[in-house]
Amino acid sequence: MNRVDFSFKDVFVAVVCLLAVFGTMQPVCSAESFEDFLVEKARMARPDSPEDPFEVLAHQEGEKAQWALRYLTRTPQETQQNLPRLINILRRAAEKVRKDPDRKFKHHQTKPEVILDEISYSIQKTPDLTLMEAMVQSIEPVIYDALEGKVPGIEENDALRIYFYVVTGSSCVIPPAIPSVERVISTVLKTLDDPDKKASFREKEYLRDLAYSMPERRMELLEHIRRLEGDLAYTEAKDAVEQRLRDSGGPISRELDLAISQENEEELVKGIFSSGNGIARGYRWQRLSRLLPQSPNRLAITKRLLADPDFAREHAASFVPRPISEKASSEKKQQHDEIMALLTERVEEGEFWAMYAAALMVSSISFSSVIYESPDPLIGKGVPPYALERVLDTLLKALVSTNYEISEKLGRVLARLANQEPEVAPKIRQAIQKKKEAIEKEFGRSMGAAFEGACLLYMPSWRCYEDKNRGGACKIGLY
């Protein structure tokens, strides 16, 4: 066998060639954008190992998979490129749901629904209508299957919701030239005409939304409401559309919608406080809400939002951080402390929105569907929420308010808090009983009973058997 000598130059050339070959094999994206993915993972405290985001999405759950999904759909062009593999992952996730119907992904949604939602959001923000139409056609087989109950993890009403909004947007002018608009209208009418579907109120509202966003077809769409539900429903729908047009100034242009989708956090915050109460402000807030939980500027932005009392009163529940555990980092605890200090000032001033927001920061309670963030996964597994006792003491002080309406609403929040956090249930139950006695002394027994009845529900739950010796937490619930 002849000996072969390699010079340094030969080795260098060979390595470069190998790198070139591997570069062409990259299935996801360019080396530069994949590096961006790894940098973002590191910033978000993701594992340091270089992972294919498709593999992360296919085999992981929770925030790690959510981040990979956001990465793979971060632009319409990349969503189009990745769509076949995303749909394949969605179908495989649906099969897992079929085997385990209780399987949840994030925010109490299933993984297939979350994937389809994220795809639709990216498609909706596609400036090229031809590209948008092509992508809609790509996901329609999944949607149609889901409408027939063939995709476990995506309910029929959720499939229709996603289909409706991916094509029509939300409160912006709908270009009538998009062929999929006709298919959506046909699907909505088919659902409403089918007596076996038992269409919900939300599905009936789709016709109103279409009438609002398609001026040239407004009367035609309202006539469908008359046909389906009669003259009274037609008149109410027509009045509602006209009132909405007066209140909002009409749907915004698709161009403005797309421009807002490209704004950074600073531009979104400025726009929220300069665009009035119209649709543009709502769009900016919706986008900021999606970005805020993972933003490195979260503390500064949250302080800015809380500084506006009107905005905080309306939206605080959807942007304050969710609970962290006692094992959280010192940085996260400091962030919680600073935000809680601002809320405490408002609690002491008798602002109920601040009381509710403070409760959200120490418990997984939620009375709203606008929560964009999950609590720390350690909570509920033997690790208590950070600052629970401190925040509870602040809320109990507020319960002595002479404002009966605030006391009643706060009592409901505290009752739910007790049900979620059994270790503080006895203290809450004692405080509510004391408040009841104070109301009876001042206003009579009936008012005291009404207060307690509004706050507490003596009804066993699944927790009752587990917590029956932990202060009666199982007896406390919320209407």
Side-chain angles (χ1 to χ4, degrees), residues 169-239:
S170 177
S171 302
C172 60
V173 175
I174 301 171
I178 304 177
S180 53
V181 171
E182 287 299 328
R183 298 196 297 274
V184 166
I185 294 174
S186 175
T187 302
V188 169
L189 291 175
K190 182 180 178 181
T191 301
L192 293 172
D193 280 326
D194 189 342
D196 296 329
K197 293 289 186 182
K198 296 181 180 179
S200 68
F201 175 77
R202 175 64 262 180
E203 289 161 353
K204 294 174 183 177
E205 283 288 284
Y206 291 150
L207 285 178
R208 290 191 187 186
D209 290 345
L210 287 164
Y212 169 81
S213 300
M214 301 184 74
E216 72 286 351
R217 299 185 61 178
R218 186 162 294 148
M219 297 312 299
E220 171 200 341
L221 293 163
L222 289 173
E223 282 297 329
H224 283 298
I225 295 177
R226 190 201 300 272
R227 175 179 63 81
L228 289 164
E229 301 186 63
D231 291 340
L232 179 60
Y234 164 82
T235 302
E236 290 176 349
K238 185 173 180 293
D239 291 345

Side-chain angles (χ1 to χ4, degrees), residues 150-372:
K150 297 178 180 178
V151 184
I154 304 180
E155 299 291 336
E156 293 176 31
N157 59 334
D158 288 322
L160 186 58
R161 169 184 59 80
I162 292 170
Y163 192 27
F164 181 82
Y165 286 115
V166 70
V167 174
T168 67
S170 177
S171 302
C172 60
V173 175
I174 301 171
I178 304 177
S180 53
V181 171
E182 287 299 328
R183 298 196 297 274
V184 166
I185 294 174
S186 175
T187 302
V188 169
L189 291 175
K190 182 180 178 181
T191 301
L192 293 172
D193 280 326
D194 189 342
D196 296 329
K197 293 289 186 182
K198 296 181 180 179
S200 68
F201 175 77
R202 175 64 262 180
E203 289 161 353
K204 294 174 183 177
E205 283 288 284
Y206 291 150
L207 285 178
R208 290 191 187 186
D209 290 345
L210 287 164
Y212 169 81
S213 300
M214 301 184 74
E216 72 286 351
R217 299 185 61 178
R218 186 162 294 148
M219 297 312 299
E220 171 200 341
L221 293 163
L222 289 173
E223 282 297 329
H224 283 298
I225 295 177
R226 190 201 300 272
R227 175 179 63 81
L228 289 164
E229 301 186 63
D231 291 340
L232 179 60
Y234 164 82
T235 302
E236 290 176 349
K238 185 173 180 293
D239 291 345
V241 170
E242 291 174 353
Q243 181 66 45
R244 186 177 173 188
L245 288 167
R246 288 192 296 269
D247 293 343
S248 67
I252 66 174
S253 68
R254 181 174 170 80
E255 290 71 24
L256 177 56
D257 176 26
L258 294 172
I260 290 173
S261 73
Q262 300 302 314
E263 290 180 348
N264 60 32
E265 291 172 347
E266 182 179 355
E267 291 168 334
L268 289 170
V269 173
K270 288 181 178 179
I272 284 171
F273 292 111
S274 64
S275 52
N277 291 317
I279 294 171
R281 186 194 198 196
Y283 266 35
R284 288 188 168 97
W285 172 234
Q286 182 185 36
R287 176 164 165 75
L288 184 62
S289 297
R290 291 167 60 89
L291 299 175
L292 197 57
Q294 299 182 26
S295 170
N297 306 311
R298 178 173 194 162
L299 180 58
I301 293 174
T302 301
K303 286 182 175 181
R304 173 70 183 89
L305 298 175
L306 287 174
D308 186 288
D310 292 332
F311 188 83
R313 186 174 295 110
E314 184 177 358
H315 294 291
S318 61
F319 68 78
V320 295
R322 300 315 313 277
I324 59 175
S325 72
E326 289 286 358
K327 294 185 177 182
S329 67
S330 57
E331 181 182 357
K332 283 192 173 183
K333 288 181 178 179
Q334 181 181 356
Q335 184 181 86
H336 254 56
D337 288 342
E338 291 190 39
I339 295 173
M340 192 58 70
L342 296 175
L343 291 176
T344 299
E345 292 179 12
R346 300 293 180 265
V347 170
E348 292 172 351
E349 293 169 3
E351 294 278 8
F352 174 72
W353 66 263
M355 302 173 194
Y356 177 37
L360 285 174
M361 288 185 65
V362 295
S363 178
S364 55
I365 64 171
S366 174
F367 309 124
S368 170
S369 61
V370 296
I371 300 300
Y372 289 88

Side-chain angles (χ1 to χ4, degrees), residues 402-417:
T402 55
N403 185 316
Y404 183 88
E405 182 181 358
I406 288 181
S407 295
E408 182 181 339
K409 289 194 292 187
L410 179 56
R412 292 174 182 238
V413 172
L414 287 168
R416 182 67 178 272
L417 182 62

Side-chain angles (χ1 to χ4, degrees), residues 458-474:
Y458 294 94
M459 182 175 178
S461 69
W462 66 270
R463 299 191 68 139
C464 192
Y465 303 100
E466 181 179 347
D467 300 322
K468 61 183 178 181
N469 297 318
R470 300 182 65 182
C474 61

Side-chain angles (χ1 to χ4, degrees), residues 20-37:
V21 170
F22 283 120
T24 62
M25 293 172 62
Q26 175 55 259
V28 182
C29 48
S30 69
E32 182 179 358
S33 60
F34 193 68
E35 181 64 22
D36 291 341
F37 172 67

Side-chain angles (χ1 to χ4, degrees), residues 425-435:
K427 182 186 285 190
I428 291 174
R429 183 74 179 95
Q430 183 180 7
I432 289 178
Q433 179 65 26
K434 186 175 180 181
K435 181 64 180 180

